Amino acid sequence: MASGGLADRTTATPAGAVWTKTCLTLKRELGDATFGSWLGHAALRERSEHEVCLVAATGVARDWIRRHAWRRIGELWAQNDPEGRALDLKSRMEFDGAAPAEPVIAEVTLAAAQASSAPVLTLHEAPAAFEAPAARPARTHGLQERFTFDTFVPGPANEFAFAVARRVGCWADGHFNPVVFHGPYGFGKTHLLNALGWEALRTAPDKKVVYLTAERFTQTFVKAVQDRQTAAFKDELRDADLLLIDDVHFVAGKASTQEELFHTLIALVQDGRRVVMTADRPPHELSDLEPRLRSHLQAGLVCGIEPADRDLRQGILERKLTMLARQGGFPAEARPEVLQFLADRFSDSVRELEGALNTLVARVGPELAQLSLDEAQAILRPHLSAPERKVTVDHIQKAVAEHFGLTQADLLSERRARAVARPRQAAMWIAKQITTRSLPDIGRRFGGRDHTTVLHAVRRIEALKAEDPSLARDLDLLLRKLRG
């Protein structure tokens, strides 16, 4: 944390308020989704009394901002800043590599910008840049405080990866090396990697843990080559007791970076040090990786993280709501149908799921417990990446029939064999969950059945999915597919 004097000086500057006003206008002009994607994680950092820098989260975000929004940002900044300070634009890698760490004076998220027009200030130390060992120990380099095992919600989709991470984090013997966690964006890989790092530091404070994204690995390696500091770069990483590399797929196609990463991996493994990486696919699917590197990643322990099922998404929401309620000083309560809507609608990414809850809390705060489903949907409608597909009973019947290897006619028939009856009940249950059709209407669309038959099917599936993990997975996959 910055010293008291620095904190006072940073808090006193109006730059954060200027950026907040600018963001409020940009959000209205660009739209919620575009603003959140490219500017939602940008931070304002102070270089001097007369100059500040807008730091984009990535180089890609910086380039987009420069092409599509920089002129407008300059206009709004000039209108809102009475001090007339110069505003520069850099990516986080550029800024951290080009100058000593400066305090972040404002980091405005989409939810915060929507919540109020008052200044939103987040004051903390900026992430430190990669340095040689003589300048600063890199023991906790890059680890994010909010990602710990205490805030990670385990479930069937991630329980094996979670168990492996806990074992590596406590330096247990008999480990596999390297360990690779893989899964699509937003499934919890970064959370697990950070949690592992924090647990390793807590368990063995004398050990050296280094965390890097593959992008930062690439940037610092290139800079080390340019500055003729490759020896210091190699020493810093190969002196680690535990090296954590996030998003290793980023180095695909970068020959010299892959070569350096390969030799770093070999050196650490041969020396008995531990290496854990994440990727968006299993190693054998990373076809653009150099074959030797890909082979060594496959030689360790490869742990897949599957999409969170409905129960796990519900658990994540409950944990997140408890944390937000504690911070905001209000009861951790919400209507079951609201949480169910979030769990069903935001099924592709845990980040999007948590972001939706953040938005509701930012808008209504202590009134969340009284928020109705219609009100929640109205608040979140502008933030949905795409409109929810209107699903009909016919769509459901076709999807269920295809999933279970049947025909739509089978589901409408009088056949009572379990191989047909169970999918038919599942289709009725799904129709009740995601359409507005009444029980009698659903029954009529399933071959003229009575509403009591549909009610029995719904109750039967509710009971079975709690006992049968395979059926629960089938239902979750069908819901995801039908919602697009």
Side-chain angles (χ1 to χ4, degrees):
M1 188 66 186
S3 66
L6 179 58
D8 293 341
R9 176 177 62 81
T10 306
T11 305
T13 179
V18 174
W19 178 234
T20 301
K21 291 178 182 178
T22 301
C23 280
L24 289 169
T25 302
L26 288 170
K27 181 187 74 66
R28 289 194 299 269
E29 294 179 352
L30 295 174
D32 299 322
T34 301
F35 179 93
S37 297
W38 303 108
L39 284 156
H41 299 287
L44 201 66
R45 299 191 189 176
E46 189 174 26
R47 281 177 160 173
S48 68
E49 186 178 351
H50 303 291
E51 184 179 7
V52 290
C53 184
L54 178 61
V55 181
T58 65
V60 174
R62 174 208 60 206
D63 293 342
W64 186 95
I65 292 169
R66 192 178 298 282
R67 287 195 304 269
H68 301 284
W70 189 237
R71 178 179 296 179
R72 182 56 175 156
I73 289 173
E75 293 172 353
L76 293 171
W77 181 266
Q79 293 172 13
N80 295 324
D81 183 23
E83 303 296 325
R85 283 164 295 199
L87 180 65
D88 194 10
L89 173 67
K90 289 186 178 295
S91 70
R92 186 172 299 165
M93 293 296 176
E94 285 180 319
F95 188 92
D96 288 346
E102 296 290 341
V104 176
I105 60 176
E107 185 169 353
V108 181
T109 64
L110 178 59
Q114 290 171 317
S116 170
S117 60
V120 180
L121 300 179
T122 301
L123 186 61
H124 56 81
E125 282 190 336
F130 185 94
E131 297 173 1
R136 176 192 51 81
R139 188 177 303 280
T140 59
H141 174 68
L143 290 176
Q144 301 179 58
E145 293 183 3
R146 63 193 178 99
F147 290 148
T148 67
F149 284 134
D150 289 338
T151 58
F152 189 86
V153 182
N158 58 34
E159 58 187 355
F160 178 59
F162 178 71
V164 171
R166 292 299 296 258
R167 186 167 180 80
V168 176
C170 67
W171 305 93
D173 293 333
H175 65 282
F176 294 90
N177 211 7
V179 173
V180 179
F181 298 115
H182 71 85
Y185 171 85
F187 281 23
K189 304 184 301 295
T190 296
H191 191 150
L192 207 56
L193 197 64
N194 277 265
L196 189 162
W198 286 119
E199 183 68 10
L201 287 167
R202 186 192 66 81
T203 306
D206 59 315
K207 300 281 190 179
K208 180 178 178 180
V209 176
V210 175
Y211 171 97
L212 291 169
T213 64
E215 182 181 8
R216 183 176 286 273
F217 180 96
T218 302
Q219 295 279 356
T220 50
F221 172 64
V222 170
K223 189 173 188 301
V225 172
Q226 293 173 343
D227 296 344
R228 299 183 180 180
Q229 295 293 323
T230 54
F233 176 83
K234 294 174 188 288
D235 290 344
E236 174 70 3
L237 295 187
R238 298 180 191 185
D239 188 43
D241 296 290
L242 172 62
L243 176 63
L244 309 173
I245 302 289
D246 204 4
D247 293 333
V248 70
H249 52 270
F250 179 84
V251 304
K254 301 174 177 64
S256 59
T257 303
Q258 290 186 67
E259 180 79 11
E260 180 59 31
L261 183 58
F262 170 76
H263 289 298
T264 297
L265 172 62
I266 295 300
L268 289 170
V269 171
Q270 288 181 346
D271 199 28
R273 314 297 179 95
R274 306 187 179 195
V275 181
V276 184
M277 301 184 183
T278 69
D280 62 353
R281 288 156 286 163
H284 71 271
E285 293 183 11
L286 298 173
S287 56
D288 289 337
L289 279 189
E290 200 270 336
R292 292 183 304 166
L293 177 57
R294 186 170 65 245
S295 175
H296 276 78
L297 294 181
Q298 290 177 266
L301 178 61
V302 179
C303 304
I305 301 178
E306 301 297 326
D309 60 21
R310 193 186 193 199
D311 289 341
L312 180 54
R313 295 196 297 272
Q314 288 272 18
I316 291 170
L317 284 171
E318 291 167 4
R319 178 74 65 87
K320 180 72 173 179
L321 178 56
T322 299
M323 183 188 72
L324 292 173
R326 187 184 305 118
Q327 293 173 347
F330 58 86
E333 298 175 5
R335 292 186 179 182
E337 60 268 26
V338 171
L339 295 181
Q340 180 178 316
F341 165 72
L342 294 179
D344 288 341
R345 185 63 181 86
F346 298 89
S347 58
D348 292 331
S349 167
V350 171
R351 290 193 182 99
E352 293 179 3
L353 179 67
E354 292 183 335
L357 181 60
N358 287 339
T359 300
L360 294 182
V361 171
R363 288 289 296 271
V364 302
E367 305 301 320
L368 182 65
Q370 286 75 49
L371 190 71
S372 70
L373 177 58
D374 288 344
E375 291 169 334
Q377 290 173 331
I379 291 172
L380 292 173
R381 190 170 293 118
H383 308 285
L384 301 179
S385 56
E388 186 170 5
R389 176 185 174 188
K390 183 177 180 180
V391 181
T392 66
V393 174
D394 184 64
H395 289 143
I396 293 169
Q397 291 171 347
K398 289 177 180 177
V400 171
E402 180 183 5
H403 183 82
F404 288 101
L406 302 172
T407 66
Q408 191 173 0
D410 289 329
L411 299 182
L412 304 181
S413 72
E414 296 296 326
R415 293 176 59 189
R416 296 188 177 181
R418 184 173 179 177
V420 175
R422 187 70 76 237
R424 182 188 297 128
Q425 290 176 328
M428 291 179 179
W429 178 86
I430 293 173
K432 179 65 175 65
Q433 300 300 311
I434 63 175
T435 75
T436 58
R437 299 293 179 183
S438 64
L439 294 180
D441 197 7
I442 293 173
R444 283 193 294 271
R445 292 166 188 273
F446 277 85
R449 286 174 164 78
D450 187 81
H451 78 279
T452 58
T453 302
V454 181
L455 181 60
H456 171 74
V458 170
R459 290 174 174 172
R460 183 61 178 154
I461 293 298
E462 283 289 346
L464 285 175
K465 72 185 185 73
E467 305 169 359
D468 186 348
S470 177
L471 175 62
R473 284 193 294 271
D474 286 336
L475 294 171
D476 193 58
L477 286 171
L478 283 165
L479 288 170
R480 289 162 58 85
K481 179 179 179 180
L482 286 163
R483 286 195 167 99

